[in-house]
């Protein structure tokens, strides 16, 4: 339950704001059943060695073991394809409908659940990519291609048919295709990850709603700090106390502790009254 004073502050802040931005992380998809990035489920065994996501999700691993990296992503993609958006995602669709062009959603999640829930591609910046897409590894084009239908979406861990993975190639130049995700040894850019646009939006944001992120990556940190530097207010939703919640409170905002699938619908329904 959100306190009345906090709900009042939220309502006032939304009414006054010219731009409301939402920044989401893995926590919002946890209630849909997607394991967090650093959990045990993310590990991957190749031969006798167990790799961490921070090793698998790298360009250097893709150069060394492209088929293993694709197997890992096909498995992760199948997990995402077999779950549904939860009430937290749906609440953000309502918020976009209410605010229109004042609204922007910046997500670190590659699961595509915000778009499946109904947020628009125009106002959703997927700053770490989307696992349902691939692109040319040689960058002959910046075009994104849906991962083809011949890749199964039933969760299979090891037994992935390699002959199918070999067919994942750029439709234009026939170079190997790669998953459309930002890897740990790569940097943000505008063309694939909306880097400059995200900072621009942050600089214009009066009210930032941060949901389910530990703030482990650089761009989300820049975004939150830019908003408070420019005098914007931050609301943070997280199961646990975290640095963004502390920052929110120290700049006059609010840290709400609890599941986003419950707190977000509560915040959004307060706006309908
Ligand atoms: P993390 O897995 O680091 O953090 C998830 C956050 O969600 C934690 O702070 C949890 O307390 C919180 N949480 C979990 N369940 C929740 C719930 N039901 N309601 C509210 N909060 C909940 O995920 P991210 O912060 O998204 O980047 O991680 C950011 C990035 O780390 C990922 O996108 C990935 C990785 O490096 C790249 O791959 C580039």
């Amino acid at each position: 339950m959100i306190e009345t004073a906090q709900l009042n502050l939220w309502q006032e802040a939304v009414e006054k704001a010219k731009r409301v931005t939402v920044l989401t992380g893995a926590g919002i998809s946890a209630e849909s059943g997607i394991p967090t990035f650093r959990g045990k489920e993310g590990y991957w065994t190749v031969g006798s060695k167990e790799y961490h996501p921070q090793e698998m999700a790298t360009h250097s691993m893709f150069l060394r073991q492209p088929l293993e990296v694709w197997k890992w992503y096909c498995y992760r993609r199948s997990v995402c394809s077999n779950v549904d958006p939860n009430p937290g995602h749906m609440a953000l669709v309502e918020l976009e409908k209410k605010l229109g062009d004042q609204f922007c959603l910046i997500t670190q999640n590659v699961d595509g659940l915000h778009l499946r829930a109904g947020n628009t591609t125009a106002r959703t910046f997927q700053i770490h990519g989307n696992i349902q897409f691939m692109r040319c590894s040689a960058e002959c084009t910046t075009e994104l291609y849906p991962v083809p239908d011949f890749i199964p979406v039933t969760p299979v861990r090891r037994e992935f048919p390699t002959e199918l993975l070999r067919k994942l190639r750029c439709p234009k130049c026939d170079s190997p295709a790669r998953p459309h995700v930002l890897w740990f040894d790569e940097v943000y850019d505008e063309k694939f990850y909306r880097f400059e646009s995200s900072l621009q939006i942050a600089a214009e944001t009066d009210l930032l709603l941060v949901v389910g992120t530990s703030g482990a990556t650089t761009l989300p940190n820049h975004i939150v700090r830019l908003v408070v530097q420019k005098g914007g207010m931050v609301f943070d939703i997280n199961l646990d106390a975290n640095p963004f919640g502390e920052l929110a409170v120290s700049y006059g905002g609010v840290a709400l502790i609890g599941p986003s699938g419950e707190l977000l619908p509560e915040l959004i329904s307060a706006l309908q009254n």
Side-chain angles (χ1 to χ4, degrees), residues 50-254:
E50 194 174 60
Y51 289 91
H52 291 218
Q54 285 90 333
E55 297 167 280
M56 290 303 294
T58 58
H59 190 241
S60 70
M61 188 62 139
F62 181 71
L63 291 178
R64 278 181 284 133
Q65 307 234 36
L67 296 183
E68 278 303 326
V69 170
W70 261 121
K71 272 189 214 174
W72 187 61
Y73 275 102
C74 288
Y75 169 67
R76 294 172 70 86
R77 170 176 173 260
S78 65
V79 172
C80 298
S81 304
N82 283 289
V83 302
D84 293 314
N86 66 58
H89 296 104
M90 301 318 294
L92 295 182
V93 177
E94 289 310 307
L95 189 60
E96 177 173 0
K97 280 189 193 146
K98 183 174 172 55
L99 298 175
D101 281 338
Q102 286 168 279
F103 173 93
C104 183
L105 172 57
I106 300 177
T107 185
Q108 297 163 81
N109 300 340
V110 298
D111 55 39
L113 284 180
H114 286 302
L115 298 181
R116 276 178 52 201
N119 284 114
T120 63
T121 43
R123 300 191 192 108
T124 305
F125 297 175
Q126 300 175 111
I127 60 171
H128 292 169
N130 184 326
I131 206 164
Q132 302 293 352
F133 289 83
M134 61 181 204
R135 61 183 209 244
C136 178
S137 65
E139 291 196 18
C140 80
T141 168
T142 55
E143 204 149 326
L144 305 181
Y145 303 98
V147 174
D149 288 342
F150 61 73
I151 297 296
V153 287
T154 37
V156 275
R157 275 184 83 89
R158 300 290 313 146
E159 315 74 19
F160 215 90
T162 35
E163 66 280 7
L164 290 184
L165 301 176
R166 286 185 209 286
K167 291 208 282 180
L168 293 172
R169 308 196 73 85
C170 171
K172 277 204 178 141
C173 75
D174 205 40
S175 295
R178 57 163 283 173
H180 171 53
V181 292
L182 177 69
W183 281 327
F184 284 103
D185 52 356
E186 296 180 315
V187 290
Y188 289 104
D189 63 25
E190 177 65 19
K191 65 179 185 289
F192 293 124
Y193 306 112
R194 311 298 306 267
F195 178 68
E196 276 90 11
S197 301
S198 298
L199 291 176
Q200 176 67 39
I201 289 285
E204 296 166 5
T205 295
D206 314 289
L207 175 59
L208 177 69
L209 177 57
V210 181
V211 186
T213 176
S214 63
T217 45
T218 55
L219 181 54
N221 269 288
H222 286 321
I223 290 169
V224 180
R225 276 160 218 288
L226 203 52
V227 171
V228 292
Q229 271 167 22
K230 298 254 175 182
M233 181 177 281
V234 177
F235 273 66
D236 180 69
I237 293 181
N238 200 300
L239 273 188
D240 295 316
N242 74 92
F244 288 151
E246 284 165 28
L247 197 73
V249 172
S250 62
Y251 282 86
V254 172

Side-chain angles (χ1 to χ4, degrees), residues 34-53:
I34 299 187
T36 54
F37 206 79
R38 293 166 183 82
K40 188 71 188 151
E41 299 91 338
Y43 291 18
W44 195 253
T45 310
V46 181
S48 59
K49 189 169 171 2
E50 194 174 60
Y51 289 91
H52 291 218

